[in-house]
Amino acid sequence: MYPVLNQRNGQSYMANLATLLNHQALRKPDHTAIIEGERKVDYRTLADRVCKWASYLSFKFGLGVGDVIAVGLRNTADHVIMNWAVVRLGAIILPIDHRWTDTEKRDVIEGFGASAYVTESGEALAVPVALNTEFREQADAHPTAEKFPEDEDLPMVLSLSSGTTGSPKGPAVTHRQMRARWVTQLVSLGFTERDRYLSATPLYFGGGRSFTMSATWLGATVIMFPPPFAPEELVSAAAGFEATITLLVPTMLRRLLALEGHVSPPFSGLKSLLSTGALLHENERQSIMEQLCPNFINYYGSTEGGGISILSTEHGDKGSGSVGQVVFGTQVEIVDWAHRPVPSGETGQIRYRGEGVASGFYKNAEADRAAYRDGWFYPGDAGMFDQDGFLHLSGRTKDVIIRGGVNIYPSEVEGPLLSCKGVTDAAVIGIPSHEFGQEIVAFVVGSPDEGALRRHLSKHIAGYKMPKSFFSVLDLPKSDLGKINRKELKKRVLKNL
């Protein structure tokens, strides 16, 4: 049996986020917490298994508060349970994508000094404790500890940035900070305990993990539907399981937009279709609302700081082309390179702060100095606020092209390119130039010739922003989340110079 809630001064004390699972088990024990195919896990069972698994990790291996535990399981109910067991223990989740190579896994595990690695693949990685598939039966049979740590300032997860090359980095998000993020999801995104969340993004990914865990934290139902899957299968699952909300990255949405034969939007039954992870073009947002789901929310944020802004259907055309208005509980500013706030309509560095923003990177003072200043977090994005309070992104600050001393943001050229007839995708980068410092190069997916592109752009941008060269490509290199790999594009150009 799971332990009763810890008490402090006669009141329920739930500083450890996992304590809320015990609370849900007491008030709605038979309510379904997780669905995985034919398997159903109710809240009574979820709380019991989380406590047993946490006890197993503690008594069997001596793991506890502050230990980093790498979780490299597939996207299953057991992955969710293990994540919660690590949290219950007061340890720190280190997300590992089971699809990574052994080298990638080793770099991240060793980089963060993990004390244990939980896997189903049987990799022989050098960690003090390696748990393979047999841990389930042993953990289920383990007696439950009477007490678990209750401290909201304990770190609970290392929220890694995308990519695994170089030295891995990520902030350790505390229980208190994660709770603030989940409250934002309740207020700004409308999550409730009556929702049925379709978990269709990898659990190692910040958004997929956060939404899945928050759904169980607040007492909703999670439906496991891990990738890879065909677009038609996702549509069928959403309807068959009566899902009310799901999160998809732009890559998935673009595949769904290619579907044909639907009389009505296939996700019209959803209360909300969420997207995060990479930017969507303005025309794509309109297509999603018309062809997929009228209740579409584009959620802009970062792994380090959580949510920043949302653009919902309610904003209509007013916020079109932006990433929406600031979410509950977050303060956002646009500043110049001297860190002074700039007026509406002027582009600069985005910075923000709030209760959900991590305090710093895990044991990485150098990364802290680059991203944190005077209590503000700098996500590395450039943007501006319009007069109505909508936030517009201009691109990554590191991607700014400085041509002849003038800052040119890729979006200033990419937007007009995408409005050109026949262009389906575009990306702009800067390359070294002896005359101007940097020169602009454009990659275009579609049919227009260079002359047509130049004539179109001349109507929308100043002459000094005109790309020096255009490259026609079949597609753009992108991450799983749909982010353009500009480094790869730059390599292609420089290789041919």
Side-chain angles (χ1 to χ4, degrees), residues 281 283 413-427 443-449 452-453 456 470 476:
H281 305 312
N283 63 319
V413 184
E414 290 170 353
L417 274 175
L418 289 165
S419 68
C420 182
K421 185 178 180 181
V423 174
T424 58
D425 210 351
F443 290 80
V444 179
V445 179
S447 56
D449 59 29
L453 291 171
H456 177 80
F470 292 86
L476 298 174

Side-chain angles (χ1 to χ4, degrees), residues 218-264:
L218 61 88
T221 297
V222 169
I223 303 154
M224 303 302 301
F225 194 76
F229 46 73
E232 296 87 349
E233 294 173 334
L234 182 64
V235 172
S236 178
F241 286 107
E242 298 180 316
T244 62
I245 190 167
T246 193
L247 169 73
L248 301 176
V249 298
T251 299
M252 296 178 183
L253 292 170
R254 292 180 181 118
R255 292 170 184 165
L256 287 162
L257 285 173
L259 287 176
E260 297 179 353
H262 289 283
V263 177
S264 59

Side-chain angles (χ1 to χ4, degrees), residues 106-119:
R106 185 179 298 109
D107 287 345
V108 173
I109 288 170
E110 293 180 355
F112 286 101
S115 299
Y117 175 43
V118 187
T119 177

Side-chain angles (χ1 to χ4, degrees), residues 16 54-55 57-58 63-66 69 84-91 148-149:
N16 186 316
S55 301
L57 293 173
S58 174
L63 298 169
V65 173
I69 300 178
W84 274 120
V86 174
V87 172
R88 197 78 184 97
L89 191 60
F148 293 101

